[in-house]
Short mmCIF file of all heavy atoms in Angstrom, two decimals:
data_model
loop_
_atom_site.label_atom_id
_atom_site.label_comp_id
_atom_site.label_asym_id
_atom_site.label_seq_id
_atom_site.Cartn_x
_atom_site.Cartn_y
_atom_site.Cartn_z
N ILE A 30 0.85 -1.20 0.00
CA ILE A 30 0.00 0.00 0.00
C ILE A 30 0.88 1.25 0.00
O ILE A 30 1.81 1.36 0.80
CB ILE A 30 -0.96 -0.03 1.21
CG1 ILE A 30 -2.02 -1.11 0.97
CG2 ILE A 30 -1.60 1.33 1.44
CD1 ILE A 30 -2.93 -1.37 2.13
N GLN A 31 0.58 2.17 -0.91
CA GLN A 31 1.35 3.40 -1.05
C GLN A 31 0.42 4.61 -1.02
O GLN A 31 -0.52 4.66 -1.81
CB GLN A 31 2.10 3.40 -2.39
CG GLN A 31 3.05 2.23 -2.58
CD GLN A 31 3.68 2.22 -3.96
OE1 GLN A 31 3.14 2.78 -4.92
NE2 GLN A 31 4.82 1.58 -4.09
N PRO A 32 0.67 5.58 -0.17
CA PRO A 32 1.61 5.62 0.95
C PRO A 32 1.06 4.81 2.13
O PRO A 32 -0.16 4.80 2.34
CB PRO A 32 1.70 7.10 1.29
CG PRO A 32 0.36 7.65 0.87
CD PRO A 32 -0.07 6.85 -0.32
N PRO A 33 1.92 4.14 2.91
CA PRO A 33 1.42 3.26 3.98
C PRO A 33 1.08 4.02 5.26
O PRO A 33 1.65 3.77 6.32
CB PRO A 33 2.60 2.30 4.19
CG PRO A 33 3.81 3.12 3.87
CD PRO A 33 3.39 4.08 2.78
N ILE A 34 0.13 4.94 5.16
CA ILE A 34 -0.26 5.76 6.33
C ILE A 34 -1.32 5.00 7.12
O ILE A 34 -2.38 4.64 6.59
CB ILE A 34 -0.78 7.14 5.88
CG1 ILE A 34 0.37 7.94 5.24
CG2 ILE A 34 -1.37 7.90 7.06
CD1 ILE A 34 -0.06 9.26 4.61
N PHE A 35 -1.06 4.76 8.39
CA PHE A 35 -1.97 4.02 9.27
C PHE A 35 -2.83 5.06 10.00
O PHE A 35 -2.35 5.77 10.89
CB PHE A 35 -1.17 3.17 10.25
CG PHE A 35 -2.01 2.20 11.05
CD1 PHE A 35 -3.29 1.84 10.66
CD2 PHE A 35 -1.50 1.63 12.21
CE1 PHE A 35 -4.06 0.94 11.39
CE2 PHE A 35 -2.26 0.73 12.95
CZ PHE A 35 -3.53 0.39 12.54
N VAL A 36 -4.10 5.13 9.64
CA VAL A 36 -4.93 6.25 10.11
C VAL A 36 -5.37 6.12 11.57
O VAL A 36 -5.66 7.12 12.22
CB VAL A 36 -6.17 6.44 9.21
CG1 VAL A 36 -5.76 6.76 7.79
CG2 VAL A 36 -7.09 5.24 9.25
N ILE A 37 -5.43 4.89 12.11
CA ILE A 37 -5.99 4.74 13.47
C ILE A 37 -5.12 5.44 14.53
O ILE A 37 -5.64 6.22 15.32
CB ILE A 37 -6.23 3.25 13.80
CG1 ILE A 37 -7.42 2.75 12.95
CG2 ILE A 37 -6.53 3.06 15.29
CD1 ILE A 37 -7.74 1.30 13.12
N PRO A 38 -3.80 5.21 14.58
CA PRO A 38 -3.01 5.94 15.58
C PRO A 38 -2.60 7.34 15.14
O PRO A 38 -2.07 8.11 15.93
CB PRO A 38 -1.77 5.05 15.76
CG PRO A 38 -1.59 4.41 14.44
CD PRO A 38 -2.96 4.24 13.85
N SER A 39 -2.84 7.68 13.86
CA SER A 39 -2.49 9.02 13.38
C SER A 39 -3.50 10.03 13.92
O SER A 39 -4.65 9.69 14.20
CB SER A 39 -2.48 9.05 11.85
OG SER A 39 -1.48 8.20 11.33
N LEU A 40 -3.04 11.26 14.04
CA LEU A 40 -3.90 12.28 14.66
C LEU A 40 -3.44 13.67 14.25
O LEU A 40 -2.25 13.95 14.20
CB LEU A 40 -3.80 12.15 16.19
CG LEU A 40 -4.44 13.26 17.03
CD1 LEU A 40 -5.95 13.22 16.91
CD2 LEU A 40 -4.01 13.15 18.49
N SER A 41 -4.40 14.51 13.92
CA SER A 41 -4.13 15.94 13.75
C SER A 41 -5.01 16.68 14.74
O SER A 41 -6.24 16.69 14.61
CB SER A 41 -4.43 16.39 12.32
OG SER A 41 -4.39 17.80 12.24
N ARG A 42 -4.40 17.26 15.77
CA ARG A 42 -5.18 17.87 16.84
C ARG A 42 -5.94 19.13 16.39
O ARG A 42 -6.83 19.58 17.09
CB ARG A 42 -4.27 18.22 18.03
CG ARG A 42 -3.71 16.98 18.72
CD ARG A 42 -3.02 17.32 20.05
NE ARG A 42 -2.49 16.13 20.65
CZ ARG A 42 -1.21 15.75 20.57
NH1 ARG A 42 -0.36 16.51 19.91
NH2 ARG A 42 -0.79 14.65 21.14
N LEU A 43 -5.53 19.70 15.25
CA LEU A 43 -6.19 20.92 14.79
C LEU A 43 -7.12 20.68 13.61
O LEU A 43 -7.60 21.62 12.99
CB LEU A 43 -5.13 21.96 14.40
CG LEU A 43 -4.18 22.43 15.51
CD1 LEU A 43 -3.22 23.46 14.98
CD2 LEU A 43 -4.96 23.01 16.68
N LYS A 44 -7.38 19.38 13.30
CA LYS A 44 -8.16 19.09 12.08
C LYS A 44 -9.55 19.72 12.12
O LYS A 44 -10.06 20.17 11.09
CB LYS A 44 -8.27 17.58 11.88
CG LYS A 44 -9.00 16.84 12.97
CD LYS A 44 -8.90 15.34 12.79
CE LYS A 44 -9.50 14.61 13.98
NZ LYS A 44 -9.25 13.17 13.93
N ASP A 45 -10.16 19.79 13.31
CA ASP A 45 -11.51 20.35 13.40
C ASP A 45 -11.55 21.83 13.03
O ASP A 45 -12.59 22.36 12.67
CB ASP A 45 -12.07 20.18 14.82
CG ASP A 45 -12.26 18.70 15.17
OD1 ASP A 45 -12.41 17.91 14.24
OD2 ASP A 45 -12.23 18.36 16.37
N LYS A 46 -10.39 22.51 13.15
CA LYS A 46 -10.34 23.95 12.88
C LYS A 46 -10.26 24.26 11.39
O LYS A 46 -10.53 25.38 10.97
CB LYS A 46 -9.13 24.59 13.59
CG LYS A 46 -9.02 24.25 15.06
CD LYS A 46 -10.22 24.74 15.84
CE LYS A 46 -10.12 24.33 17.32
NZ LYS A 46 -11.35 24.67 18.05
N GLY A 47 -9.86 23.26 10.58
CA GLY A 47 -9.63 23.55 9.17
C GLY A 47 -10.63 22.93 8.22
O GLY A 47 -10.42 22.94 7.01
N ILE A 48 -11.72 22.35 8.77
CA ILE A 48 -12.67 21.67 7.89
C ILE A 48 -14.08 22.23 8.09
O ILE A 48 -14.33 23.00 9.02
CB ILE A 48 -12.68 20.14 8.16
CG1 ILE A 48 -13.13 19.84 9.60
CG2 ILE A 48 -11.32 19.55 7.89
CD1 ILE A 48 -13.27 18.36 9.90
N GLY A 49 -15.00 21.83 7.22
CA GLY A 49 -16.39 22.25 7.34
C GLY A 49 -16.80 23.18 6.23
O GLY A 49 -16.04 23.45 5.29
N LYS A 50 -18.00 23.69 6.34
CA LYS A 50 -18.56 24.55 5.31
C LYS A 50 -17.71 25.81 5.14
O LYS A 50 -17.32 26.44 6.12
CB LYS A 50 -19.99 24.94 5.70
CG LYS A 50 -20.79 25.57 4.59
CD LYS A 50 -22.24 25.72 4.97
CE LYS A 50 -23.07 26.27 3.82
NZ LYS A 50 -24.48 26.40 4.16
N GLY A 51 -17.41 26.16 3.89
CA GLY A 51 -16.60 27.34 3.62
C GLY A 51 -15.11 27.06 3.62
O GLY A 51 -14.32 27.88 3.16
N LYS A 52 -14.72 25.90 4.15
CA LYS A 52 -13.30 25.53 4.17
C LYS A 52 -13.07 24.30 3.30
O LYS A 52 -12.23 24.30 2.41
CB LYS A 52 -12.83 25.29 5.60
CG LYS A 52 -12.85 26.57 6.44
CD LYS A 52 -12.38 26.32 7.86
CE LYS A 52 -12.40 27.61 8.65
NZ LYS A 52 -11.99 27.43 10.06
N THR A 53 -13.78 23.22 3.61
CA THR A 53 -13.72 22.02 2.76
C THR A 53 -15.13 21.74 2.25
O THR A 53 -15.51 22.17 1.19
CB THR A 53 -13.13 20.83 3.53
OG1 THR A 53 -13.87 20.62 4.74
CG2 THR A 53 -11.67 21.06 3.87
N ARG A 54 -15.96 21.06 3.08
CA ARG A 54 -17.36 20.84 2.73
C ARG A 54 -18.11 20.50 4.01
O ARG A 54 -17.54 20.00 4.98
CB ARG A 54 -17.48 19.69 1.71
CG ARG A 54 -18.77 19.75 0.89
CD ARG A 54 -18.74 18.83 -0.31
NE ARG A 54 -18.82 17.42 0.04
CZ ARG A 54 -18.69 16.43 -0.84
NH1 ARG A 54 -18.48 16.69 -2.12
NH2 ARG A 54 -18.79 15.16 -0.45
N GLU A 55 -19.41 20.77 4.02
CA GLU A 55 -20.21 20.64 5.24
C GLU A 55 -20.18 19.25 5.85
O GLU A 55 -20.27 19.08 7.07
CB GLU A 55 -21.66 21.05 4.94
CG GLU A 55 -22.28 20.20 3.82
CD GLU A 55 -23.65 20.66 3.39
OE1 GLU A 55 -24.15 21.63 3.98
OE2 GLU A 55 -24.22 20.04 2.46
N ASP A 56 -20.05 18.22 5.00
CA ASP A 56 -20.14 16.84 5.49
C ASP A 56 -18.79 16.28 5.96
O ASP A 56 -18.72 15.12 6.38
CB ASP A 56 -20.69 15.93 4.37
CG ASP A 56 -19.81 15.99 3.12
OD1 ASP A 56 -19.47 17.11 2.69
OD2 ASP A 56 -19.45 14.93 2.58
N HIS A 57 -17.74 17.08 5.90
CA HIS A 57 -16.39 16.58 6.16
C HIS A 57 -16.25 15.97 7.56
O HIS A 57 -15.77 14.84 7.72
CB HIS A 57 -15.35 17.70 5.97
CG HIS A 57 -13.93 17.21 5.93
ND1 HIS A 57 -12.92 17.92 5.33
CD2 HIS A 57 -13.35 16.09 6.41
CE1 HIS A 57 -11.78 17.24 5.45
NE2 HIS A 57 -12.02 16.14 6.10
N ALA A 58 -16.66 16.70 8.60
CA ALA A 58 -16.47 16.23 9.97
C ALA A 58 -17.22 14.92 10.22
O ALA A 58 -16.68 13.98 10.82
CB ALA A 58 -16.92 17.30 10.96
#
């Protein structure tokens, strides 16, 4: 698998601040 990113232990603590309506899309979160 390329890239072999394992999403379960991965984390972005600021992800909630950069998503949603007007930034990405309303259904993102």
